[in-house]
Amino acid sequence: MATPTVSAARTARLVGDLAPGRPAYRALADALRLAVADGRIAVGTRLPSERELTGALDVSRTTVTRAYAVLRESGYLASRRGSGSVTTLPAASRRRGTGSLFPADPADGVIDLTCAATRAPAGVVEAYERAVARLPEYLCGAGYLTLGVPELREVVADRYTARGLPTDPDEVLVTSGAVAGLGIVLRALVGRGDRVVVENPTYPNTVDALRAGGARLVPLAMDPDGWDVPEAARAVRSAGARAAVLIPDFHNPTGALLGDEGRAALASALRRAGTVPVVDETIAEVCLEEELALPLPFAAHDPRAISVGSSSKSHWGGLRTGWVRAPRSVLPALVDARVTTDLGAPVLEQLVLLELMRENPGLTAERRDALRASRDTTADALRELVPDLRFGLPRGGLSLWCELPEGVDSTAVAVAAEDEGLLVAAGPRFSVAGGLDRWLRFPYVLDPATMTTAAERLARAVDVVRSGRAPVPAPRRTRSTARAATRPNRPLVA
Amino acid sequence: MATPTVSAARTARLVGDLAPGRPAYRALADALRLAVADGRIAVGTRLPSERELTGALDVSRTTVTRAYAVLRESGYLASRRGSGSVTTLPAASRRRGTGSLFPADPADGVIDLTCAATRAPAGVVEAYERAVARLPEYLCGAGYLTLGVPELREVVADRYTARGLPTDPDEVLVTSGAVAGLGIVLRALVGRGDRVVVENPTYPNTVDALRAGGARLVPLAMDPDGWDVPEAARAVRSAGARAAVLIPDFHNPTGALLGDEGRAALASALRRAGTVPVVDETIAEVCLEEELALPLPFAAHDPRAISVGSSSKSHWGGLRTGWVRAPRSVLPALVDARVTTDLGAPVLEQLVLLELMRENPGLTAERRDALRASRDTTADALRELVPDLRFGLPRGGLSLWCELPEGVDSTAVAVAAEDEGLLVAAGPRFSVAGGLDRWLRFPYVLDPATMTTAAERLARAVDVVRSGRAPVPAPRRTRSTARAATRPNRPLVA
């Protein structure tokens, strides 16, 4: 395979204006380092020659020579015979053998699609750097912020207000991610034996958390393309549940979006039933169509609603920070529930999220384009390679919810896919009440080329199962994730 | 009050050698900025004049002039008429009015000693900066590390090995702090209705977490100076408990240290009773006496023991990262219990802790000296101001466990102290079974001058209660922390 290249003109654009007040070679080296670090220049790319970049940037040749030397020293550039200067990452070699830290682990070639989550977007490193610069303001404190960094609470509140739901910072609690936020809300709200309505299918960790807390689950059937609202309203009225956990924005795993009319109808049924909506908004910002008019946040239809958000999907999962928006009167109970599991989110993480949200509360245009390209490539490849696989094209979120051809069991496919070097989560993992044996979640979270390879592997796995060459799968729900569980450092499904 | 100063010679020592390869004024400005940020040069200190520092550093006058200009621009230095250049913090003004972010909040003059936790030590900012430099290695992953950054697991394992307990990285799980770690262990280990032995008094959040999980608590009485081991062994044998939560290293709140003989005897009783020791080692590294030979970690006496550690007390509470050390066979159950509350600790936080622990796994000598000075000043002030207050001088940990004079109720004192501008936690908050009405935890976590002021306020509060001028306190346990609870962003007790 030929080494990919980046032109001198594009490199110059990525570098932008060199910050004045410091040596130009330093500023150039830093700009290139960040572009490699956050993926705007992919690892393994040949940079323009020193001569070419000198021309494009209009700086002295010495500046470029010294900048490249700095990058070589710090491990971001390697000189390869015949390939010029190729980008690399420091300590990349150390990463091998540490297990599957990465969705596509170069160490073993396995593509891991058990998590619907992407690599970090451009600009993340700069946000961390700016956050570290602000850290000194907090160092003279003990570092416990049970409600959160005040400015971050303001920014989160402003985002809700901008989305059409007026919100005060006093209604926001900063958490250590959405899973932590949901845990806090459910501990505060739901007692043992309480009924809780959950969509079926839904995000598996929510079900696990509810079960661990002793809740009795009432499944709310979802069609592949969304909610049957009148049916859902009936189910809510008869359930007599304490709470309902809903994912109305690009629902995980189906990708469906509940419109304003549906929200209003469901909110009204919940209010009459005395059931508190707990709204998982983790994916709310992952809208892939710029022109799509988004519905109002669910809480605009029911002021009792408690919303749980996170930066994991819109920004990066390694930044484990999120928030809860709740009526002011509920916040003290949430703080009480939090301090039995953590004493506050880490200060720096909060400052990073503050920086990122100030710059862009949702997806950047660049990231939206990249995800849409991956989604479309994945859909095209699957349509071609597995023509009788059925799925809709979601307008947001991170995965396709796929129905396998009749007679093809998704757990068997997941097991066969493992032999092909692909990890995916089968439908039963998302099921509240059993079943979903022919469904499969297929996240489009990697670059288009890798997604094409993943689709090819899935196609081979489907063929293996269809041809009867597959081993009989072991009991469901264990086997489908059994091997994934032996891979260190990855949640089974996220 | 005269403006404190720092001599040119000391400033030169703090600055050290200026890093070559970059402009000297930049390197000097950075070094001074870090020294101010992490408190080696206190905020409000007058720096040496440019002429003096030029001489002490043996650099050009221009270098110092430009460095001071950079500091002024970035908000770390202010020129005050007649006071020369005085250190300050950027955005310090913004901090006012945001509530009690700080143990001694300049906004309202209240000294908050409800948390036994200190400001961040020197060197923290550098560790964050080094960690950000390493972050790019992780950006191409989804950022979910359910077990932890491999190198950090190694460093934690090495620390146990160095303390006499051979440990493999496979026996270490990285958590989002000790409270999170304890939560994970208790969810994995303890079912509803299970009995759990806990020391009385103990850390209140542990009791809250156990109660929330439905455990039945069996209190293990502690004497003010530590464990009555034969009595504890008898209690353990008769309890038939599933687990025992112990704080053998500078016990919170008493400060007592359980020796190796006591550990062996207690471990043996626990083993015979089939009770799993869950050891809270949060304060294990906060040893204030360099020459003290520390006992072996508890798990060296019982391989079934599960140990929970954290960086909050040894390094900084704003870095919300800790670990669990457990037998390898237990780790999968811990991961299962974790993913219902978080999907892993934040990547950057883990890299920061890695940097800090590589440099110094426990307290730095500087920090130990500072804490010991605060402890001794506090003890001297209390002995002088409240001669009939009784307390021992702990050899580690962060607080004095004080017995008030007969007839003086600690909750009443805590309420009266609030009127004097001092927040402290009364004994009942640490009680598992009620009582401890004459006890008070007095953390020595602030600088000696502030601790002296705190002691004076406590003395006045004791006088008020003793003279009968105090209002009758409202019902216990609520009133003692009632006003503290209205202060935003602080856990009630930590």
Side-chain angles (χ1 to χ4, degrees), chain B residues 90-173:
Chain B
S93 58
R94 246 181 295 158
R95 234 159 50 210
R96 295 180 198 287
T98 58
S100 173
L101 293 182
F102 304 99
D105 193 326
D108 60 4
V110 169
I111 299 176
D112 187 345
L113 291 179
T114 49
C115 291
T118 65
R119 54 157 291 145
V124 156
V125 174
E126 287 99 323
Y128 275 91
E129 286 176 348
R130 289 196 304 271
V132 171
R134 289 211 45 194
L135 191 62
E137 298 169 42
Y138 291 85
L139 293 178
C140 54
Y144 300 120
L145 298 174
T146 43
L147 287 164
V149 164
E151 284 172 83
L152 177 56
R153 300 173 72 199
E154 278 166 29
V155 167
V156 171
D158 290 350
R159 179 60 176 166
Y160 278 107
T161 304
R163 285 174 56 207
L165 172 62
T167 300
D168 191 277
D170 284 359
E171 297 168 302
V172 174
L173 173 78

Side-chain angles (χ1 to χ4, degrees), chain A residues 18-389:
Chain A
L18 296 178
R22 33 197 315 238
Y25 78 93
R26 269 275 153 207
L28 175 57
D30 274 2
L32 288 171
R33 179 176 60 81
L34 288 175
V36 174
D38 62 26
R40 281 170 293 172
I41 299 177
V43 169
T45 301
R46 182 168 72 223
L47 292 189
S49 74
E50 293 177 9
R51 194 182 45 76
E52 289 167 334
L53 192 55
T54 300
L57 281 174
D58 197 20
V59 295
S60 78
R61 175 74 178 260
T62 321
T63 297
V64 179
T65 304
R66 290 184 71 183
Y68 277 25
V70 166
L71 290 172
R72 257 181 226 106
E73 252 170 56
S74 54
Y76 282 90
L77 207 55
S79 299
R80 289 199 201 141
R81 200 182 302 239
S83 300
S85 294
V86 174
T87 57
T88 173
L89 282 178
S93 59
R94 248 180 293 157
R95 234 160 48 211
R96 296 181 197 286
T98 58
S100 172
L101 291 184
F102 304 99
D105 192 328
D108 61 5
V110 169
I111 300 176
D112 188 344
L113 292 179
T114 49
C115 291
T118 66
R119 54 156 293 144
V124 157
V125 173
E126 288 98 325
Y128 275 93
E129 286 175 347
R130 289 197 304 272
V132 170
R134 288 209 47 193
L135 191 61
E137 299 169 41
Y138 291 85
L139 294 178
C140 54
Y144 301 119
L145 298 174
T146 43
L147 287 165
V149 164
E151 283 173 84
L152 177 56
R153 299 173 73 199
E154 279 167 28
V155 167
V156 171
D158 290 348
R159 178 60 174 166
Y160 278 107
T161 304
R163 286 173 56 206
L165 172 62
T167 300
D168 192 276
D170 284 359
E171 298 169 300
V172 174
L173 173 79
V174 180
T175 68
S176 304
V179 167
L182 261 173
I184 290 168
V185 172
L186 296 176
R187 276 197 306 282
L189 198 66
V190 177
R192 294 195 76 78
D194 279 351
R195 283 162 190 256
V196 178
V197 169
V198 277
E199 291 144 346
N200 183 34
T202 193
Y203 179 58
N205 289 340
T206 300
V207 173
D208 292 349
L210 283 166
R211 289 221 165 92
R216 287 188 292 162
L217 304 189
V218 183
L220 196 71
M222 295 270 298
D223 295 335
D225 56 351
W227 296 257
D228 178 338
V229 174
E231 183 55 38
R234 257 192 302 280
V236 162
R237 281 197 294 272
S238 70
R242 173 88 183 104
V245 183
L246 306 171
I247 316 179
D249 308 281
F250 312 119
H251 174 262
N252 187 357
T254 67
L257 178 65
L258 183 60
D260 270 314
E261 215 174 306
R263 288 175 196 231
L266 201 50
S268 150
L270 289 164
R271 209 162 34 240
R272 268 175 290 152
T275 302
V276 179
V278 177
V279 187
D280 178 352
E281 295 181 337
T282 317
I283 326 179
E285 298 282 2
V286 189
C287 174
L288 300 186
E289 301 181 9
E290 214 166 344
E291 63 289 0
L292 179 60
L294 285 174
L296 289 174
F298 197 92
H301 296 282
D302 186 345
R304 303 168 312 140
I306 302 179
S307 314
V308 177
S310 155
S311 58
S312 294
K313 309 283 185 177
S314 58
H315 293 88
W316 185 43
L319 181 75
R320 303 229 43 73
T321 309
W323 58 85
V324 173
R325 181 201 182 277
R328 205 177 275 103
S329 61
V330 173
L331 243 66
L334 296 181
V335 170
D336 280 352
R338 122 165 281 163
V339 295
T340 60
T341 56
D342 74 18
L343 301 177
V347 171
L348 189 86
E349 296 282 305
Q350 300 189 58
L351 295 175
V352 175
L353 182 57
L354 175 62
E355 292 291 331
L356 288 171
M357 287 189 72
R358 277 210 174 128
E359 210 161 70
N360 211 312
L363 286 190
T364 60
E366 187 185 1
R367 205 156 139 70
R368 182 168 51 226
D369 293 349
L371 274 172
R372 197 168 43 213
S374 282
R375 178 195 65 179
D376 295 345
T377 302
T378 307
D380 290 346
L382 288 177
R383 282 192 201 106
E384 190 196 317
L385 296 164
V386 197
D388 51 357
L389 191 72

Side-chain angles (χ1 to χ4, degrees), chain B residues 379-402:
Chain B
D380 289 347
L382 288 176
R383 282 194 201 105
E384 190 196 319
L385 297 164
V386 197
D388 51 357
L389 190 72
R390 283 171 49 184
F391 56 86
L393 206 61
R395 310 181 75 179
L398 295 159
S399 42
L400 302 178
W401 181 236
C402 305

Side-chain angles (χ1 to χ4, degrees), chain B residues 249-251 254-257 283-289 292 363 375 393-400 444:
Chain B
D249 308 280
F250 310 120
H251 174 263
T254 67
L257 177 65
I283 325 176
E285 299 282 2
V286 189
C287 174
L288 299 186
E289 299 181 9
L292 179 60
L363 287 190
R375 178 195 65 182
L393 206 61
R395 310 181 75 179
L398 295 159
S399 42
L400 302 178
Y444 40 82

